[in-house]
Amino acid sequence: MVINKEYFNLTDILYSGQIFRFTPFKDGFLIFSGDKVCYAFEKENSLYIESETEEYFYNFFDLNTDYKEIVESAKKENIEVLTKALSKCSGVRILRQLKEEMFFSFIISQNNNIKRIQNSIEKLCFLLGDKKEFLGYTYYAFPSIERLAEQEVDFFKSIGLGYRAEYIKENAVKLLNGEIDLEFLGSLPTKELLSKLISLKGIGEKVANCIALFGFYKTDTFPVDTWIEKVYKENIKGSLTDRKKIADYYIKRFDKKAGYYQQYLFYYKRSIEKMG
């Protein structure tokens, strides 16, 4: 696949906090999703994607969505920090990732830094995932629910998941026996989906919003973490202190585009603003 780079910046997407499985490779990156992989690299004004499953990655990179319209709508909000974010990182987009992978990845993410999250997920894949090869590179698929569910809590603790080990175990068992049905959850309106996710062990407000946005593509969500809270307090000069209320404020204002704007603001605040 050859894609125009306007409104598509590969590096910004990969480092925007929504995906944890990728690695530099040759002139670009290998990007993993479930048991699939692609090689993506930029050259001049185009992005090239090589894969044995091109249709999958066409959807994965959200290539049917008009990001020009999203960016133009965001500019009309007339919010200074959002306008600045768009001037620097309008190539960020929401990936359409696997529900199961995002479900467990963001349970692992709580109170954790990105490097440790990546390392933990990589260990899970190496120890429990199927071995694969692509362009001479050996990688491991994200583990099946069955393999996750059959592990003991101590296994998850042994790879550094700490208190999250119990959450992984319990939810994997519930997924396996049908107590949790991710396809059904995905069919629910966003508020109901969030309510169901928060009722599960180890999933709070922020993690539920991340799973809903990055696993279910519910763009009327707005995960609030330290960086988004800083945007709200430092750039917007908001007075709310409760993160759920901050999220509700953004969702009420931005509606179905809230998730897109969240990524622009998050990436800008975390990675771009300090560079001036």
Side-chain angles (χ1 to χ4, degrees):
M1 289 187 287
V2 183
I3 301 158
N4 190 297
K5 277 176 56 179
E6 190 176 19
Y7 307 110
F8 194 124
N9 185 300
L10 181 62
T11 301
D12 288 353
I13 293 167
L14 295 179
Y15 288 95
S16 65
Q18 61 180 300
I19 181 171
F20 303 109
R21 294 178 60 220
F22 62 91
T23 188
F25 182 76
K26 294 183 179 178
D27 296 323
F29 295 91
L30 288 177
I31 300 155
F32 311 99
S33 179
D35 63 351
K36 297 175 178 62
V37 60
C38 74
Y39 170 45
F41 62 95
E42 295 174 343
K43 186 177 179 181
E44 297 175 351
N45 293 320
S46 297
L47 174 81
Y48 296 80
I49 299 173
E50 296 180 19
S51 177
E52 295 171 353
T53 51
E54 284 190 2
E55 185 176 343
Y56 177 87
F57 281 101
Y58 186 92
N59 180 67
F60 179 86
F61 285 114
D62 201 23
L63 296 177
N64 276 326
T65 298
D66 182 359
Y67 277 81
K68 179 180 180 180
E69 189 274 329
I70 292 166
V71 168
E72 292 304 316
S73 292
K75 288 177 181 176
K76 291 175 184 176
E77 293 290 341
N78 242 0
I79 299 172
E80 185 179 2
V81 65
L82 182 55
T83 302
K84 286 182 178 178
L86 294 167
S87 72
K88 300 289 186 180
C89 46
S90 61
V92 172
R93 53 180 53 213
I94 305 294
L95 299 174
R96 292 181 179 265
Q97 301 187 73
L98 291 176
K99 298 176 180 65
E100 294 87 349
E101 188 167 339
M102 292 299 95
F103 181 81
F104 289 107
S105 294
F106 280 100
I107 290 176
I108 291 169
S109 78
Q110 58 187 286
N111 299 316
N112 218 341
N113 63 60
I114 287 179
K115 193 62 183 174
R116 284 185 61 195
I117 299 164
Q118 290 174 321
N119 287 339
S120 295
I121 295 171
E122 189 61 32
K123 286 178 184 175
L124 273 183
C125 294
F126 176 72
L127 294 170
L128 301 179
D130 292 335
K131 187 176 180 180
K132 303 277 185 175
E133 189 172 301
F134 178 70
L135 298 180
Y137 184 93
T138 300
Y139 72 99
Y140 295 84
F142 193 82
S144 66
I145 300 302
E146 290 79 6
R147 289 186 185 171
L148 288 170
E150 67 189 16
Q151 307 306 313
E152 299 299 331
V153 170
D154 285 346
F155 166 80
F156 297 114
K157 288 184 176 180
S158 74
I159 61 172
L161 293 180
Y163 66 88
R164 306 168 196 84
E166 293 183 9
Y167 307 157
I168 298 294
K169 171 66 177 180
E170 180 171 316
N171 286 304
V173 170
K174 285 185 174 181
L175 276 166
L176 185 63
N177 65 25
E179 289 181 68
I180 303 172
D181 183 341
L182 295 183
E183 291 305 314
F184 168 72
L185 291 182
S187 70
L188 297 174
T190 301
K191 285 188 177 180
E192 288 184 47
L193 168 63
L194 291 172
S195 178
K196 294 284 188 183
L197 289 172
I198 290 169
S199 73
L200 301 175
K201 189 168 184 178
I203 298 181
E205 192 76 33
K206 183 246 181 181
V207 168
N209 273 269
C210 286
I211 294 170
L213 179 57
F214 304 125
F216 293 88
Y217 201 80
K218 298 288 189 180
T219 58
D220 53 342
T221 53
F222 202 95
V224 177
D225 70 341
T226 301
W227 297 103
I228 290 294
E229 192 170 9
K230 282 183 178 182
V231 169
Y232 177 76
K233 291 179 177 178
E234 296 174 6
N235 301 94
I236 296 180
K237 309 299 182 185
S239 59
L240 297 171
T241 56
D242 180 270
R243 288 187 176 184
K244 185 180 186 310
K245 290 181 179 179
I246 293 171
D248 290 342
Y249 161 81
Y250 282 118
I251 292 166
K252 185 176 181 180
R253 178 159 188 172
F254 300 144
D255 194 32
K256 294 290 185 181
K257 291 189 171 72
Y260 302 109
Y261 298 177
Q262 190 271 357
Q263 277 299 92
Y264 297 136
L265 291 170
F266 171 83
Y267 186 64
Y268 176 75
K269 191 68 175 178
R270 179 176 174 268
S271 303
I272 305 296
E273 185 182 53
K274 59 192 174 187
M275 296 189 292

